[in-house]
Amino acid sequence: MARFIGNVDPTASPVNYKSVFDLRAQYKEQAAGNWPTGAADVEIKCWGAGGAGGYWNGGSAGSGGAGGWAKGTTPLAAGTTLYIVVGGAGGIPSSNNDGSVAANAGGNGSANKYGSHRGGIGGGYSGVFTGSSTSDVSQANALVIAGGGGGGSSYDRSGEDESGGGGGGTTGGAGVNSPNGGGGGTQSAGGSSADGDAGTALKGGNAASSESTSMAAGGAGGGYFGGGAGSITGGDGSEEAGGGGGGSGYVKSGLTNTANLAGDNGAAGSTTGQITAIHSTASSDSNYTGTYGKGGGFNSAGSQGYVVIIDGAGANTFTSSQSYTIR
């Protein structure tokens, strides 16, 4: 009686027997982690973090800008390692000259507190880079980046808006209240700032503050190029303060099915806890959960960033920075 292997009689069909043998060998290779290396399309989606609103205990202050949204599809071989940066939410300083809450991932610019005035810190960018660790995070290794929103300043004497600019897009939104608002990052340079720090590669500028007037401007958002920080002009009784600029987004040339959209600028007069909406297209995406990338209102932190990678294992979501191997 013939012996059958996988419904194949090897004595009657030696070619088929060889196919069964090859299949068994491939299974052993894959079980050992040696997966096929053929490239397949991988989709990357990033939401930048929102900037924080400013604070003044005598009334409302500027709101933070929302983070941007960027996506793209690229062929990547199974086993390719990527490093994911998830933008940290813009926060509010808890003490004078406290920039510690700017240490979140994504290069958000810091702000300061003087007396009853606090500037909002910018949101961090979210991005995906070729490589396996933080040492591989660079513009040269970037595949997709969504810029972070700028922070709102503490107060404007003339009652003008002093909110942060939205992050993302080829040019991030400028901080509100010209000429004191920081400039948005672009594809080739960081946003400008009159008396704070200009943006640099991947990092938003740190905001200016004035001890003589107890004012604090808004910090900038991180991005492909970070936004410029808000500035303060005028003396005590005539001070003017501006919000930070948003960082720019980026999608590497050659990717398909791309988008690079800026989040909304903040708007003055918001109440505690009110948050600036992200771009309508970003918020209607099938992988968005409704809780990320928004800018903070008056005395309110922004929302952190978010990254989704869709590969052979399905949709993989990330709310913290880490490495990931394509499957």
Side-chain angles (χ1 to χ4, degrees):
M1 179 177 179
R3 181 182 179 186
F4 287 82
I5 302 176
N7 294 322
V8 176
D9 179 358
T11 60
S13 181
V15 174
N16 284 344
Y17 177 75
K18 181 180 184 302
S19 297
V20 172
F21 181 83
D22 289 346
L23 180 62
R24 180 174 179 272
Q26 291 176 22
Y27 173 78
K28 289 177 67 177
E29 283 290 297
Q30 293 181 6
N34 301 318
W35 294 91
T37 57
D41 282 345
V42 174
E43 187 172 13
I44 299 168
K45 300 179 182 181
C46 298
W47 286 261
Y55 173 73
W56 172 50
N57 65 3
S60 67
S63 296
W69 183 62
K71 70 171 185 173
T73 299
T74 184
L76 292 174
T80 300
T81 303
L82 304 174
Y83 193 78
I84 298 158
V85 174
V86 177
I92 302 170
S94 59
S95 61
N96 289 359
N97 301 308
D98 177 18
S100 62
V101 280
N104 295 325
N108 29 354
S110 68
N112 290 316
K113 170 189 172 183
Y114 276 111
S116 60
H117 295 270
R118 308 179 195 183
I121 293 171
Y125 71 83
S126 294
V128 176
F129 303 82
T130 56
S132 58
S133 69
T134 55
S135 62
D136 297 310
V137 175
S138 67
Q139 288 181 322
N141 291 337
L143 295 175
V144 177
I145 291 175
S153 80
S154 65
Y155 173 68
D156 184 88
R157 179 67 66 176
S158 299
E160 298 168 340
D161 195 348
E162 64 282 354
S163 297
T170 55
T171 300
V176 184
N177 190 5
S178 178
N180 297 293
T186 71
Q187 297 300 288
S188 59
S192 61
S193 179
D195 66 349
D197 291 338
T200 57
L202 303 178
K203 188 179 187 305
N206 296 328
S209 55
S210 170
E211 188 170 5
S212 63
T213 62
S214 298
M215 290 291 107
Y224 182 68
F225 276 99
S231 301
I232 300 168
T233 58
D236 192 11
S238 62
E239 59 268 26
E240 302 277 336
S248 60
Y250 171 81
V251 179
K252 184 177 180 179
S253 176
L255 271 63
T256 59
N257 189 31
T258 61
N260 185 9
L261 303 174
D264 294 337
N265 289 349
S270 61
T271 59
T272 302
Q274 183 176 338
I275 44 184
T276 305
I278 63 173
H279 193 285
S280 58
T281 301
S283 61
S284 62
D285 182 82
S286 60
N287 293 115
Y288 183 65
T289 67
T291 58
Y292 301 103
K294 299 176 180 179
F298 163 57
N299 196 27
S300 176
S303 299
Q304 73 166 71
Y306 185 56
V307 173
V308 176
I309 294 180
I310 303 172
D311 61 6
N316 309 277
T317 61
F318 303 89
T319 57
S320 62
S321 299
Q322 60 191 276
S323 62
Y324 178 74
T325 301
I326 297 299
R327 294 176 283 177

